[in-house]
Amino acid sequence: MRARHFRLAVALAAALAATACQNAPPMQKLPPISFADRQPFRLDVAELEILSDYQPPGRLPNIEHLMPVSPGAAIERWAQDRLRPMGQRDSGSARVVIRDARVVEVPLKTDTSISGAFKKEQEMRYDATLQVAVEILDARHMTVADVVATAQRSRTVPEGLTVNERERIQYDITDGLARDIDRQMEQLIRNYLGRWLIR
C-alpha cells in the first residue's frame, strides 16, 4: 500500500512540475552588448590585456553575478571591439583594468498596511558603478600613460515583475553603464593617449 501511495505522490509531483513548466513564460533572448559597429582605436602597441581588480562577492546584496550580462563582461566585450593593438613586437602593450563593476540591490520600504495591498510600489533599487582604466605600458611593462572612466546608474524596480521583466531592467543597466564608459573613453583616449593612436 505504501509503495502505491509513493507512486501516486511521484506521479502527482511530475504532473504539477509539467503544468508549471507549461505555464512559465518563455525565456527571452537578449541581444549581445556589442561595440562592433564603432570604429576601433588602432593603438601603436603590440598586445591588449584585459584584467579585473574587482572580485564579485557572489552573494546579496550584490547581484552582478545573477545578471544576464554583468558590467564586467560588457567591458571585456567593449575592450575587444574598440581597442585594436597594431604595433610592433617591442612597442609595449595596452591594458584594460576593470576597477569596479558592482551592482547592489537595495530594498525599499513599502506600505504593509491593508491600503498598501491596493498600490503597486517600488520594492527595490539597483545601484550600479563601473570604473575602467586604459593603461599604456612600455616594453619593460611599466605604465607610461593611463585614463580612467567612471559611470554610475540607479534604477528602482516595482513590485510584481516577471523574471523576464527584471532581467530586462538588469540588462538595460549594464548596457547603459557600458555605453557611458564608451562615450567617456572616446574623448579620454583621443585627448590623453593620442600619441599611441595610429591614424
Side-chain angles (χ1 to χ4, degrees), residues 91-168:
S91 58
S93 61
R95 180 165 63 195
V96 175
V97 183
I98 302 166
R99 295 185 176 176
D100 199 352
R102 74 188 64 201
V103 184
V104 177
E105 184 178 272
V106 181
L108 300 177
K109 188 174 181 180
T110 56
D111 186 353
T112 57
S113 68
I114 293 176
S115 63
F118 299 95
K119 297 186 289 189
K120 189 170 186 178
E121 300 182 273
Q122 301 297 305
E123 69 173 350
M124 69 180 64
R125 186 181 72 242
Y126 295 138
D127 291 337
T129 301
L130 184 56
Q131 186 176 81
V132 183
V134 175
E135 304 172 350
I136 301 295
L137 295 83
D138 62 18
R140 298 169 300 165
H141 220 62
M142 301 291 292
T143 302
V144 293
D146 71 305
V147 292
V148 179
T150 303
Q152 293 181 316
R153 294 256 169 163
S154 188
R155 175 89 176 261
T156 57
V157 180
E159 298 173 300
L161 290 184
T162 66
V163 172
N164 283 349
E165 289 169 335
R166 192 177 298 274
E167 287 192 347
R168 182 70 209 202

Side-chain angles (χ1 to χ4, degrees), residues 66-109:
L66 302 173
M67 298 171 71
V69 184
S70 70
I75 285 303
E76 288 182 21
R77 180 63 182 266
W78 172 84
Q80 293 162 359
D81 286 345
R82 297 233 55 199
L83 304 179
R84 199 67 51 80
M86 304 288 290
Q88 302 300 316
R89 184 170 58 86
D90 60 349
S91 58
S93 61
R95 180 165 63 195
V96 175
V97 183
I98 302 166
R99 295 185 176 176
D100 199 352
R102 74 188 64 201
V103 184
V104 177
E105 184 178 272
V106 181
L108 300 177
K109 188 174 181 180

Side-chain angles (χ1 to χ4, degrees), residues 1-12:
M1 187 65 107
R2 264 184 204 166
R4 184 179 172 205
H5 286 165
F6 177 75
R7 286 195 297 272
L8 284 172
V10 170
L12 180 59

